[in-house]
């Protein structure tokens, strides 16, 4: 079996990336290599952890060259509704993941999708995850204004072992700046719980806060019931109590309360 010129070019590029592992322009070189094989419109390298907010190691520049305002909102708290973040916390593992595989049933109907995802990512997203230990996940996320084709997905699946190996080898060269630890109750509960008290004078139970988070992420009642190991009827009761305590009638209003919590 003979190698094609394209095969030789790929292996040579990977070799060059190995040499560039300690260099500041490593991520740019990696992205440029991937762009030769798969078209995408945005990218970001993140470190997910349950103990702190996501850390950004590298990202594509904004249209005006400055920081992306929507992405800053993501880092403040919207990441808690990100299907990829949720999936990495529920079942941490190394691999190649598509939005269609991790998004809840009603994801495209959520306020998160309407107000952030379709404006910032637009159509589709894929993520290459390297599980570093029991909690931390190093992620390379690629966003596109069009759906990734079956051919592109197949190609990324083929080269993912090389890319993930490079992610793992790069990690020792990244400077991880410690941030304030998460509250014991979790940042989600702290944000929404605080806002509910300040804005509505309401106190939600831990289970109601969990149901609220899953609602906002796009989970159906059946999905919430399965994730929390309760019945669908119990989920409906929790939803009723959440709406009643907060004096609201829609998920849109619940999302607004969440936004006020993260911007407080």
């Amino acid at each position: 079996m003979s190698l094609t010129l394209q095969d030789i070019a790929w292996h040579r590029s990977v070799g060059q990336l190995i040499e560039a592992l300690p260099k500041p322009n490593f991520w740019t070189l990696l992205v440029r290599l991937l762009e030769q094989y798969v078209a995408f419109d945005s990218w970001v390298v993140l470190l997910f952890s349950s103990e702190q907010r996501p850390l950004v190691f590298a990202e594509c520049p904004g249209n005006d060259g400055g920081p992306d305002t929507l992405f800053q909102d993501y880092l403040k708290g919207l990441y808690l509704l990100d299907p990829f973040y949720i999936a990495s916390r529920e079942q941490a593992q190394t691999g190649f993941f598509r939005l269609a595989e991790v998004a809840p049933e009603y994801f495209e109907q959520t306020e998160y999708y309407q107000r952030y995802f379709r404006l910032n990512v637009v159509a589709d997203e894929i993520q290459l995850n390297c599980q570093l230990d029991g909690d931390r996940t190093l992620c390379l996320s690629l966003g596109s204004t069009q759906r990734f084709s079956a051919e592109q997905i197949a190609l990324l699946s083929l080269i993912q072992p090389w890319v993930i190996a490079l992610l793992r080898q790069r990690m020792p060269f990244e400077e991880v700046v410690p941030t304030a630890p998460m509250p014991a109750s979790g940042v989600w509960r702290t944000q929404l719980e605080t806002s509910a008290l300040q804005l509505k004078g309401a106190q939600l139970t831990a289970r109601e806060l969990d149901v609220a988070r899953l609602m906002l992420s796009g989970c159906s009642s059946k999905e919430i019931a399965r994730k929390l190991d309760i019945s669908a009827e119990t989920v409906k009761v929790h939803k009723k109590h959440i709406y009643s305590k907060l004096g609201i009638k829609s998920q849109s209003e619940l999302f607004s309360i969440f936004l006020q919590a993260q911007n407080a």
Side-chain angles (χ1 to χ4, degrees):
M1 180 179 177
S2 60
L3 291 173
T4 66
L5 290 176
Q6 190 175 32
D7 291 331
I8 295 172
W10 167 260
H11 286 90
R12 182 169 55 196
S13 296
V14 171
Q16 292 170 344
L17 280 169
I18 293 172
E19 291 290 336
L21 278 167
K23 299 179 180 179
N25 65 340
F26 168 79
W27 293 116
T28 301
L29 293 176
L30 175 58
V31 168
R32 286 176 180 171
L33 174 59
L34 294 178
E35 284 178 327
Q36 295 178 28
Y37 296 88
V38 178
F40 50 90
D41 301 287
S42 61
W43 61 274
V44 64
V45 182
L46 295 161
L47 182 67
F48 285 156
S49 170
S50 300
E51 297 179 355
Q52 59 186 12
R53 298 175 190 274
L55 297 178
V56 181
F57 290 151
E59 63 179 303
C60 60
N63 294 330
D64 59 357
D68 187 324
T69 303
L70 281 175
F71 188 60
Q72 295 308 307
D73 288 339
Y74 174 88
L75 295 175
K76 287 179 182 178
L78 285 180
Y79 71 89
L80 293 164
L81 304 179
D82 178 4
F84 289 102
Y85 174 82
I86 294 171
S88 76
R89 298 305 87 202
E90 291 181 344
Q91 190 174 6
Q93 56 184 323
T94 293
F96 169 69
F97 302 95
R98 301 170 57 191
L99 178 64
E101 296 171 338
V102 299
E105 184 177 354
Y106 297 132
F107 175 63
E108 293 189 2
Q109 299 176 25
T110 63
E111 292 295 313
Y112 171 81
Y113 178 86
Q114 296 296 330
R115 297 196 202 182
Y116 172 78
F117 188 90
R118 72 182 184 88
L119 298 177
N120 203 53
V121 182
V122 181
D124 205 358
E125 185 176 6
I126 56 176
Q127 194 159 282
L128 293 130
N129 286 0
C130 177
Q131 194 62 32
L132 301 172
D133 49 39
D135 181 66
R136 298 183 306 156
T137 308
L138 181 59
C139 314
L140 171 59
S141 179
L142 307 177
S144 175
T145 56
Q146 298 180 353
R147 298 289 182 185
F148 288 103
S149 68
E151 182 180 0
Q152 289 175 315
I153 295 297
L155 181 56
L156 284 167
S157 297
L158 182 64
I159 65 177
Q160 64 137 328
W162 282 277
V163 178
I164 290 175
L166 286 166
L167 296 185
R168 189 179 302 279
Q169 294 303 314
R170 169 65 184 185
M171 190 60 202
F173 300 103
E174 290 293 345
E175 181 180 0
V176 179
V177 180
T179 60
M182 292 282 195
S185 60
V187 68
W188 161 261
R189 289 180 178 175
T190 300
Q191 286 188 190
L192 187 57
E193 189 173 23
T194 299
S195 185
L197 280 170
Q198 291 179 345
L199 300 175
K200 302 291 183 177
Q203 187 165 2
L204 302 182
T205 67
R207 182 48 57 89
E208 288 168 351
L209 289 165
D210 287 336
V211 170
R213 172 179 60 83
L214 292 170
M215 286 168 56
L216 291 179
S217 69
C219 290
S220 65
S221 292
K222 288 184 179 180
E223 286 178 306
I224 296 174
R226 176 179 56 80
K227 287 176 180 287
L228 298 182
D229 195 24
I230 57 179
S231 70
E233 287 302 316
T234 301
V235 172
K236 292 179 181 178
V237 171
H238 284 310
K239 286 183 178 180
K240 183 178 180 180
H241 288 167
I242 293 167
Y243 280 29
S244 177
K245 286 182 178 181
L246 297 178
I248 59 177
K249 298 181 179 179
S250 68
Q251 285 194 36
S252 177
E253 292 176 278
L254 180 61
F255 184 77
S256 294
I257 292 174
F258 170 58
L259 285 183
Q260 289 176 278
Q262 75 173 46
N263 290 320

